[in-house]
Amino acid sequence: MFKLASACALVLVAWQAALADGMPYQPYRHRGFYLPPERHVIEVVRPPYSANFIINGARFVGRSPACWSWAAGERIKLLAGDWNARCDYAVFYNFYRRSTCEMWCRPW
């Protein structure tokens, strides 16, 4: 009985962790399969509180001080440019901070 109760508790904890971002989950149908919505986040900010970002495996450098407070894990949306840094500059919108930032693309 104890093993069953602990297994149920473990499943509940894992389920809560999966939905911890607070975003409503509404899967959409694609060719018979339900797919989750695409979400992009800032992967790395190195050094912290700088404007050097790794997004989608590509390097970007912020052009304005508005970008300096952005942190890793914050959800973003691409407004202009390219996710793979094949551009001169890109513009991103940060959902958490409700601000935009222009960035130089660095395809290293």
Side-chain angles (χ1 to χ4, degrees):
M1 184 67 178
F2 178 72
K3 289 182 182 180
L4 179 63
S6 62
C8 290
L10 182 63
V11 168
L12 287 174
V13 169
W15 181 258
Q16 288 176 345
L19 299 176
D21 63 354
M23 298 297 296
Y25 176 72
Q26 297 176 354
Y28 58 94
R29 195 169 174 87
H30 176 74
R31 296 187 186 177
F33 299 101
Y34 285 101
L35 301 174
E38 185 176 21
R39 295 185 184 171
H40 292 280
V41 296
I42 299 171
E43 296 170 9
V44 178
V45 180
R46 192 169 286 147
Y49 303 108
S50 70
N52 299 316
F53 303 102
I54 295 180
I55 301 170
N56 199 32
R59 293 181 188 231
F60 294 89
V61 177
R63 296 174 69 176
S64 67
C67 309
W68 294 350
S69 62
W70 289 20
E74 294 178 347
R75 190 169 167 227
I76 57 172
K77 176 182 178 182
L78 180 68
L79 299 178
D82 184 51
W83 283 112
N84 299 315
R86 295 184 196 123
C87 56
D88 293 329
Y89 75 95
V91 179
F92 290 95
Y93 175 76
N94 188 322
F95 288 99
Y96 177 74
R97 303 198 185 268
R98 294 187 178 120
S99 64
T100 59
C101 179
E102 288 188 13
M103 298 186 189
W104 284 298
C105 303
R106 297 274 177 107
W108 299 303

